[in-house]
Amino acid sequence: MEPGGAPPVATTEKALNRPGTPTGPGTPTGVATPTGVATPTGPGTPTEGDGPAAPTPRRLTSPLALTLLLLLMVLLQSPLRRALAAPVMQAWTTVFVAVMIQALPFLVLGVLLSAAIAVYVPPSFFASALPRRPALAVPVAGLAGAVLPGCECASVPVAGALVRRGVTPAAALAFLLSAPAINPIVLTATAVAFPRNPEMVLARFVASLLVACAMGWLWHRLGRTDWMRPPAHGRHESQSKGEAFWDSTRHDVMHAGGFLVVGAMAAATLKAVAPEHWLRAAADNPVVAVLALAVLAVVLSICSEADAFVAASLTQFSLTARLAFLVVGPMIDLKLFAMQAGTFGRGFAFRFAPATFVLAIGGAVLTGAVFL
């Protein structure tokens, strides 16, 4: 090789074909480059002579799906118009829209205030404000729910933060149950939903506070530390205050708004589609009416800021049965069970949820007998 010149081709070929170099079918062969570095080639390796690459398959994106849906609605507008003109659909639409319009402002306001408290009020404030004795801390924490708005989506993480900061679990659980049920937004929404029955506001406040304190005291007496898994750190602790606030607001509005739509659809269906004699038969039996609406509250999982408007639309049922709907829903439903299991462990949720359900029904019936 001449000084400064490129290595001969023969030398490069010998280097590439020397013993120990893997060759054979399926093994990339070397192609000499100006710097002597082997470039892998072979079947499946794109080259200039292979032609254009295979086109990437198109995926169904949201704009495309929306366009297809709109096109389908245009093509089916005549059948849709006839279906919507039916008396049953008009009644269904009226109830659905009425529930949504009445409930949505309270839901958004409750979510904003709840996110602000969860992000900007440090858990150390609650720890320093509560009494040291658990028996006294439980009712104080329960009453704190009447001052600090918090929907179900925020009450569970806040309760987990309280436990991490050293607050007795009995007090944290009392706050978890009372905050979504008796805060000012919820009570105001209840007064708006039941303008002719103002006693529903007082009955809801008393029944929910009674159940929250009873569950706190029950956990203090019978609860065991190995039943509750230490909660993990909150999802907002690594974010700035502003980021955590807007992230919590977006999450809760989308989460609670979806359940509100489902609840409004269910209420409209019961009013417009379900046979009247079925509802009347269930409503005429006090035990069946209470149990039916309690189970309905668990299944629908409506946000507490909006559930009063759904309950008000169920006019076939007694006020006591609808009170059971309002007391059970903010304390135990499907989404709350999942959040409690994720925060405190499945062993805790499988013990806490059934006890809360039974006590909530009992508290609603007892309070209804006194106030309604």
Side-chain angles (χ1 to χ4, degrees):
M1 180 179 67
E2 297 178 2
V9 176
T11 304
T12 304
E13 292 177 350
K14 289 179 181 180
L16 293 172
N17 296 323
R18 65 175 178 267
T21 303
T23 59
T27 304
T29 57
V31 176
T33 63
T35 57
V37 179
T39 302
T41 62
T45 304
T47 60
E48 292 182 0
D50 288 342
T56 304
R58 296 191 63 181
R59 296 181 179 179
L60 185 64
T61 59
S62 297
L64 180 59
L66 180 59
T67 303
L68 293 176
L69 178 61
L70 293 176
L71 180 61
L72 182 63
M73 293 179 66
V74 170
L75 295 175
L76 300 177
Q77 59 178 328
S78 296
L80 288 175
R81 189 183 299 111
R82 288 193 298 268
L84 293 176
V88 172
M89 285 304 302
Q90 289 182 350
W92 189 95
T93 305
T94 300
V95 176
F96 175 79
V97 173
V99 171
M100 289 295 298
I101 290 177
Q102 287 181 306
L104 196 58
F106 291 97
L107 185 146
V108 174
L109 179 59
V111 165
L112 289 173
L113 292 177
S114 175
I117 291 172
V119 172
Y120 292 104
V121 178
S124 57
F125 168 78
F126 300 98
S128 60
L130 293 176
R132 296 294 180 183
R133 295 179 59 184
L136 295 178
V138 167
V140 173
L143 286 171
V147 181
L148 302 174
C151 68
E152 299 95 322
C153 300
S155 63
V156 177
V158 170
L162 293 178
V163 174
R164 287 199 306 272
R165 295 298 179 95
V167 174
T168 176
L173 296 178
F175 179 82
L176 181 152
L177 296 177
S178 68
I182 63 174
N183 69 68
I185 305 298
V186 171
L187 296 180
T188 303
T190 305
V192 173
F194 292 89
R196 298 181 180 179
N197 304 104
E199 64 273 15
M200 282 291 289
V201 180
L202 180 60
R204 182 175 194 177
F205 176 86
V206 173
S208 300
L209 181 60
L210 178 65
V211 174
C213 293
M215 282 302 302
W217 285 322
L218 185 65
W219 180 266
H220 175 61
R221 296 284 296 179
L222 303 179
R224 290 164 43 181
T225 55
D226 59 323
W227 289 352
M228 178 182 285
R229 183 187 66 193
H233 291 287
R235 59 190 175 110
H236 298 310
E237 292 186 356
S238 61
Q239 298 176 319
S240 66
K241 297 293 185 181
E243 292 174 345
F245 174 80
W246 288 115
D247 183 52
S248 177
T249 300
R250 287 193 300 268
H251 173 271
D252 291 350
V253 166
M254 296 299 297
H255 193 72
F259 284 106
L260 172 59
V261 171
V262 173
M265 292 173 65
T269 303
L270 287 176
K271 292 283 290 184
V273 178
E276 183 67 24
H277 63 277
W278 289 7
L279 296 178
R280 183 58 60 187
D284 288 342
N285 188 320
V287 176
V288 174
V290 170
L291 291 178
L293 290 194
V295 173
L296 187 65
V298 174
V299 174
L300 292 184
S301 304
I302 308 172
C303 186
S304 59
E305 281 83 4
D307 60 358
F309 300 97
V310 176
S313 68
L314 303 175
T315 54
Q316 297 92 341
F317 293 85
S318 65
L319 290 177
T320 300
R322 286 183 277 178
L323 178 63
F325 181 90
L326 297 178
V327 175
V328 171
M331 294 189 175
I332 177 61
D333 57 29
L334 295 181
K335 72 175 184 298
L336 272 176
F337 179 83
M339 295 179 69
Q340 291 170 4
T343 302
F344 299 109
R346 286 180 294 179
F348 167 84
F350 278 113
R351 293 178 176 90
F352 189 74
T356 303
F357 181 77
V358 173
L359 278 181
I361 293 178
V365 172
L366 178 62
T367 307
V370 174
F371 293 97
L372 304 178

